[in-house]
Amino acid sequence: MEELRDTLETTAKRLGLLNKNCCSIGPFNIGSSQSIILSEIAKRNNPSMQEIADTLATDITTFSRQIQTLIKMGFVQKNQSSQDRRVYTLSLTTEGKFAIGTIHSQMEQYLEEVFSHMNEFERETVKRSLQLLNAAMAKSSVCCKPLF
């Protein structure tokens, strides 16, 4: 298991998941967690703050700080729900849609370059292995929880 852990840690580093900033959009440096938040908001139609926080397995306080930063950058809009005034929904602004489009494009270019060093069988093996790993993690009772 130590070899697997080392491999996963190296993969996280090479994907830039531990970097303070994953990319720049105009004058803003976007962190990996902010990039993931933007992506999750983009996947849904006006999700609640709690829905995205739960999806990312993060506490609402930490998540709220990230959202406030994204609002100040002009990428996210937060609105009070008309059905339940305790609930706030999130949406991407025009700038936020541009930002996530740019981030996705950069990631696709990166992955295309990385996968260009593999043949078709190797690419499919990696893809299938990652799908299997993600499916097993989704079933795990300890996935996405603090280890300590």
Side-chain angles (χ1 to χ4, degrees):
M1 282 295 151
E2 183 178 341
E3 182 182 352
L4 178 59
R5 187 195 71 233
D6 288 344
T7 300
L8 288 171
E9 287 173 356
T10 299
T11 302
K13 286 186 270 187
R14 289 188 172 145
L15 284 172
L17 298 178
L18 305 176
N19 295 357
K20 181 178 180 184
N21 299 314
C22 73
C23 49
S24 295
I25 308 293
F28 302 110
N29 290 316
I30 308 289
S32 297
S33 58
Q34 293 168 330
S35 170
I36 292 168
I37 290 169
L38 289 172
S39 187
E40 287 299 322
I41 294 169
K43 291 176 188 177
R44 294 168 173 76
N45 183 25
N46 296 319
S48 72
M49 286 187 57
Q50 191 65 55
E51 179 184 346
I52 299 295
D54 289 347
T55 298
L56 300 177
T58 187
D59 69 278
I60 195 70
T61 305
T62 302
F63 182 73
S64 291
R65 283 194 299 271
Q66 292 284 0
I67 289 299
Q68 283 308 116
T69 300
L70 291 168
I71 289 169
K72 287 177 186 171
M73 291 177 173
F75 296 149
V76 172
Q77 192 170 30
K78 181 172 100 170
N79 296 303
Q80 196 171 35
S81 169
S82 57
Q83 287 89 18
D84 185 343
R85 299 183 62 74
R86 298 169 295 170
V87 174
Y88 285 88
T89 60
L90 303 170
S91 60
L92 297 180
T93 63
T94 301
E95 293 84 0
K97 291 174 184 174
F98 174 78
I100 198 59
T102 301
I103 292 166
H104 285 170
S105 177
Q106 289 172 0
M107 185 59 135
E108 282 187 31
Q109 289 172 2
Y110 173 70
L111 291 173
E112 284 177 16
E113 197 282 327
V114 168
F115 276 73
S116 74
H117 301 285
M118 298 179 207
N119 63 39
E120 184 64 29
F121 175 77
E122 292 167 330
R123 286 191 291 270
E124 287 302 315
T125 300
V126 169
K127 179 181 171 185
R128 182 70 183 132
S129 296
L130 288 171
Q131 290 169 338
L132 287 169
L133 177 62
N134 277 311
M137 289 172 76
K139 295 175 187 172
S140 171
S141 64
V142 294
C143 182
C144 302
K145 295 180 182 165
L147 298 175
F148 306 102

